Amino acid sequence: MSSRAASSRPRTAKIGLAMAGGGPAGAVYEIGALYALEEAVEGLPINDLDIYVGVSAGAFIGASLVNGLTPTQMVRAIVKQGPGEHPFVPETFLTPSFREVGKRLASIPGLLAQAIAGYARHPQDALLGQTLAKLGQALPVGLFDNEPIRHYLEKIYNLKGRTDDFRKLRRPLVVVAADLDAGTAVRFGSEGWDHVPISRAVQASTALPGLYSPVEIEGRSYVDGALLRTLHASVALEAGVELLICLNPIVPIDTTGAIEAGQLTTGKLVERGLPAVLSQSLRTLIRSRLDVGLSSYRRRFNADIVLFEPLRRDYKMFFTNIFGFSDRQVVCEHAYQATRKDLLSRYQELAPAFARHGLKLRRDVLEDPSRDLWVGVGLPHLSRRRHSTLDVVTRLDRALARLEEWVDDPSEDEAEGEPSRPSLRLVKG
């Protein structure tokens, strides 16, 4: 493995990539978006950028990119196992933590006895309910086992030509996790933290409390880095990047108009139960925090920041269950097409920005109706396109995009009361 100083492209501008989390669905979204970027942005060395920063699922994708796994290989891994590869199976991320649950259940009799004894000794000092709160220690700190995630990554990164060692990577990789007991961010891969195996660091960064148990590294407990910041984009900006590409799959859904569009039978998330309510709450918190971060970066850094994320009315990203083969195929293809559409709709804004950094946004590629994700990665049998219908829709999208360039009217999103295209944003510092 060559050193970090090695490079296969001329140094024209420092370019970085920062990716947020989002679980298995977020990882699949980022893979589809990356393929679209690599295809449409000429000169963008997606596997040879100046720095990669990842949180949670974004850490997994970033570590794979810097290890030489191309977007094409990752797209194929979603649906097909290639020679010498390991398929991306979402179920790997949701293996029940039988050991953790069993350990906690076994502690119930002792904790109950302690709670009752404590109340009996000092009934005047505490209510029964407060005393019984001790039983909260019997609740599992994680429902799923994240050791399979580490084993999966360890296998991938120890194949020939790859590494599980930050210090042997061609390019800098920073995996962000949160120290649970200190409430601070830790940048695995940076100086002083680069001796921790990449697979272990990614395991820690993906340990969302409640879903996964904290990961112990050198006596400290680490959890998902998204608890502190959404992207940790400042890590790349502090490293001096001039162009930072950001991917954030986590946005709250806006159900307004969903019923009329035939996407939902009801616009009330509360009717979908606790998982939908918790998901929406977490997404809203994470996305609002990202807005604050972007505003801060604009003031602090002189850099171009391009953000990709799903639209708030993107029901596929919110409701699709990717644990089925066809569903994860749908999410990946959807992310690919949505990213292409965003690039085209923002062409006049983005083309000059990319050009400032030696890159060319290819309009001919974005306007080519024959582009197909599965054909592009060599799996044409997976394509479900109906070319006659697709061509009509593509031409219509292209015409509307050009119409927006010719007239100075509010965008479709603004007219509908939605912030102007939150799925792609250019911020000039």
Side-chain angles (χ1 to χ4, degrees), residues 62-290:
S64 299
L65 286 172
V66 76
N67 249 306
L69 275 163
T70 66
T72 295
Q73 288 175 302
M74 286 190 277
V75 170
R76 291 176 61 90
I78 292 173
V79 295
K80 180 181 177 65
Q81 182 174 3
E85 297 294 345
H86 296 271
F88 176 75
V89 181
E91 290 80 357
T92 300
F93 294 79
L94 293 181
T95 303
S97 183
F98 295 113
R99 180 182 302 177
E100 169 67 12
V101 173
K103 181 179 73 173
R104 299 291 174 167
L105 288 176
S107 71
I108 290 179
L111 290 171
L112 181 60
Q114 292 175 31
I116 294 175
Y119 178 74
R121 286 194 302 268
H122 306 286
Q124 70 281 4
D125 294 339
L127 297 174
L128 180 60
Q130 294 173 323
T131 304
L132 291 178
K134 188 177 183 66
L135 289 175
Q137 297 177 30
L139 294 175
V141 295
L143 297 177
F144 303 106
D145 186 359
N146 49 21
E147 272 299 305
I149 299 176
R150 186 184 67 80
H151 290 311
Y152 169 80
L153 297 176
E154 189 177 44
K155 287 180 182 179
I156 293 177
Y157 301 153
N158 278 293
L159 292 175
K160 185 178 180 181
R162 300 175 191 162
T163 181
D164 199 26
D165 189 332
F166 284 102
R167 297 164 295 189
K168 296 181 180 179
L169 292 172
R170 287 165 47 85
R171 292 288 174 196
L173 167 69
V174 177
V175 171
V176 184
D179 185 317
L180 179 63
D181 296 305
T184 57
V186 173
R187 302 175 177 183
F188 291 108
S190 62
E191 186 176 356
W193 293 101
D194 53 1
H195 62 286
V196 176
I198 297 172
S199 56
R200 180 69 76 184
V202 174
Q203 178 192 16
S205 184
T206 57
L208 182 64
L211 291 183
Y212 299 108
S213 298
V215 176
E216 184 173 328
I217 300 176
E218 299 177 358
R220 305 290 294 181
S221 297
Y222 296 94
V223 294
D224 196 324
L227 294 184
L228 298 173
R229 293 181 186 175
T230 303
L231 277 169
H232 291 270
S234 59
V235 175
L237 294 168
E238 289 168 1
V241 299
E242 300 158 83
L243 171 64
L244 181 62
I245 298 172
C246 302
L247 299 182
N248 172 45
I250 312 173
V251 296
I253 189 174
D254 180 359
T255 60
T256 304
I259 298 176
E260 290 80 357
Q263 300 275 359
L264 300 175
T265 56
T266 175
K268 295 184 178 181
L269 291 176
V270 69
E271 296 181 9
R272 293 178 173 266
L274 182 61
V277 173
L278 289 178
S279 176
Q280 178 77 333
S281 301
L282 181 63
R283 288 166 177 265
T284 302
L285 175 64
I286 288 176
R287 186 56 185 79
S288 62
R289 193 171 55 189
L290 179 57

